[in-house]
């Protein structure tokens, strides 16, 4: 049931972010509820540390970009969604999460610019695709020993 809530809220957030360039609050609340429930039930503080680290990195990137360009690089929904994804991660998965989130963001950005010539693009599909890759990695690649 938990993964159904997670997947349905992720799908709804992706659809609205692509259509309207905003993340819906109800989607964030459902995603946050599922993430917090999972973190509390696992009785491990590692997810909270990872979420804090991701929040710190996102805020540092936002601050540095704002310092030089005087505009925001990410929306507040993206800044809160990243740490919520971090609640599902372990420390050794952080590099893979950032690598695949970056790859998905680059592909989304190139497609978005080529299709609609817009400089801004939705980051939610990239953040959630990176998390999805981590789930696939846990289920299939780590399980068979690769």
């Amino acid at each position: 049931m938990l993964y159904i809530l997670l997947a349905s809220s992720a799908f709804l957030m992706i659809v609205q972010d692509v259509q309207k360039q905003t993340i819906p609050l109800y989607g964030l609340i459902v995603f946050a509820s599922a993430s917090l429930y999972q973190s509390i039930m696992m009785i491990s503080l590692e997810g909270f540390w990872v979420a804090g680290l991701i929040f710190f990195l996102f805020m540092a990137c936002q601050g540095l970009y704002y310092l030089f360009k005087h505009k925001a690089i990410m929306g507040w929904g993206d800044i809160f969604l990243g740490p919520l994804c971090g609640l599902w991660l372990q420390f050794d998965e952080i590099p893979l999460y950032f690598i695949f989130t970056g790859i998905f963001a680059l592909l989304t950005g190139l497609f978005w610019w080529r299709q609609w010539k817009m400089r801004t693009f939705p980051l939610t599909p990239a953040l959630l695709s990176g998390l999805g890759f981590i789930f696939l990695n846990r289920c299939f690649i780590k399980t068979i020993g690769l």
Side-chain angles (χ1 to χ4, degrees):
M1 181 67 177
L2 186 64
Y3 288 102
I4 292 171
L5 281 174
L6 189 72
S8 61
S9 66
F11 179 73
L12 290 172
M13 286 189 293
I14 288 173
V15 167
Q16 184 165 339
D17 195 23
V18 167
Q19 289 177 349
K20 299 181 182 178
Q21 297 272 314
T22 61
I23 298 175
L25 182 60
Y26 62 86
L28 272 176
I29 290 172
V30 171
F31 194 88
S33 300
S35 299
L36 288 172
Y37 180 78
Q38 181 270 346
S39 294
I40 291 169
M41 296 314 283
M42 291 292 292
I43 310 171
S44 172
L45 294 176
E46 188 173 15
F48 290 105
W49 283 104
V50 172
L53 178 64
I54 290 174
F55 182 74
F56 173 76
L57 289 172
F58 277 18
M59 289 305 293
C61 290
Q62 182 87 322
L64 285 172
Y65 192 82
Y66 189 81
L67 183 67
F68 292 112
K69 296 287 190 171
H70 302 291
K71 59 183 174 179
I73 194 170
M74 292 180 278
W76 284 104
D78 299 322
I79 291 174
F80 289 122
L81 183 60
L84 289 175
C85 291
L87 289 173
W88 294 89
L89 302 176
Q90 299 167 358
F91 278 113
D92 61 333
E93 296 170 332
I94 294 173
L96 273 179
Y97 175 71
F98 280 128
I99 288 169
F100 282 96
T101 298
I103 290 170
F104 291 129
L106 180 64
L107 293 174
T108 304
L110 288 172
F111 173 76
W112 202 259
W113 179 81
R114 181 165 165 68
Q115 186 70 24
W116 291 284
K117 303 288 189 235
M118 294 176 67
R119 298 183 116 201
T120 62
F121 65 94
L123 192 56
T124 302
L127 291 171
L128 295 173
S129 296
L131 182 63
F133 177 81
I134 295 298
F135 287 156
L136 290 175
N137 183 35
R138 274 188 206 162
C139 292
F140 298 111
I141 298 173
K142 281 188 178 179
T143 304
I144 61 173
L146 293 177

